[in-house]
């Protein structure tokens, strides 16, 4: 019976260490996914460029100013359908009418994602088209 005692103890120890290693690996993977998720998504910020070189760009819409932001992909380009919230609508309509022919600057955090040109006065719902896959990171 003594001959089986040591292999049994050894088997229990090996099993315990293997379980501990598997748990540590699972925790590391969960932490990595949290980090990737944080890096993957960012907040929507839309600026209107300054009309002169010395003036700062003006933030016009933030994520909290939108009722909805839906992204779709067609032929490897991203298109957004955006709906402006009622509290920001008057400011948005006036600013877009004043910037026809100029670019809007859409940022994902500090990164410029797109700079589409305003082609007509924009209302409550509008589309931004022709962006690359980086635009999908905005939530």
């Amino acid at each position: 019976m003594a001959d089986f005692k040591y292999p049994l103890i050894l088997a229990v120890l090996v099993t315990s260490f293997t379980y501990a290693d598997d748990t540590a690996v699972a925790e590391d993977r969960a932490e990595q996914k949290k980090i990737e998720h944080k890096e993957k998504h960012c907040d929507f910020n839309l600026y209107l460029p300054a009309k002169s070189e010395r003036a700062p760009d003006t933030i016009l819409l933030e994520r909290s100013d939108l009722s909805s932001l839906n992204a779709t992909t067609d032929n490897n380009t991203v298109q957004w359908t955006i709906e402006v919230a009622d509290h920001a609508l008057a400011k948005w309509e006036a600013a877009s009418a004043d910037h026809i022919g100029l670019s809007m600057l859409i940022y994902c955090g500090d990164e410029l994602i797109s700079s589409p040109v305003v082609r007509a006065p924009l209302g409550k719902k509008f589309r931004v088209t022709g962006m690359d896959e980086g635009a999908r990171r905005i939530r």
Side-chain angles (χ1 to χ4, degrees), residues 45 62 77 82-83 86 95 101 108 116-117 120 123 125 129:
N45 292 303
E62 299 176 88
T77 61
I82 297 174
E83 185 172 343
D86 291 338
C108 179
V117 174
K125 286 186 177 182
T129 61

Side-chain angles (χ1 to χ4, degrees), residues 49-126:
K51 290 191 175 182
S52 69
E53 288 184 30
R54 294 189 177 168
D57 296 335
T58 305
I59 189 161
L60 182 60
L61 295 175
E62 299 176 88
R63 184 62 178 105
S64 61
D65 296 325
L66 306 181
S67 297
S68 65
L69 173 77
N70 297 308
T72 56
T73 304
D74 185 30
N75 295 328
N76 295 326
T77 61
V78 177
Q79 172 179 293
W80 286 335
T81 302
I82 297 174
E83 185 172 343
V84 178
D86 291 338
H87 72 270
L89 187 57
K91 179 172 87 170
W92 168 246
E93 289 176 333
S96 70
D98 192 38
H99 281 76
I100 294 173
L102 300 175
S103 295
M104 299 181 287
L105 306 173
I106 300 174
Y107 283 86
C108 179
D110 293 336
E111 180 185 350
L112 180 65
I113 293 293
S114 183
S115 55
V117 174
V118 178
R119 302 207 188 283
L122 301 170
K124 185 169 182 75
K125 286 186 177 182
F126 63 97

Side-chain angles (χ1 to χ4, degrees), residues 9-75:
I9 291 173
L10 184 60
V12 168
L13 287 174
V14 168
T15 303
S16 296
F17 287 124
T18 302
Y19 175 75
D21 287 344
D22 289 345
T23 303
V25 168
E27 289 172 358
D28 288 345
R29 285 185 187 144
E31 187 64 30
Q32 183 62 33
K33 284 190 180 220
K34 286 180 190 176
I35 291 169
E36 287 171 4
H37 181 70
K38 285 180 186 177
E39 293 173 356
K40 186 175 181 182
H41 293 96
C42 54
D43 290 327
F44 172 91
N45 292 303
L46 186 143
Y47 289 80
L48 291 176
K51 290 191 175 182
S52 69
E53 288 184 30
R54 294 189 177 168
D57 296 335
T58 305
I59 189 161
L60 182 60
L61 295 175
E62 299 176 88
R63 184 62 178 105
S64 61
D65 296 325
L66 306 181
S67 297
S68 65
L69 173 77
N70 297 308
T72 56
T73 304
D74 185 30
N75 295 328

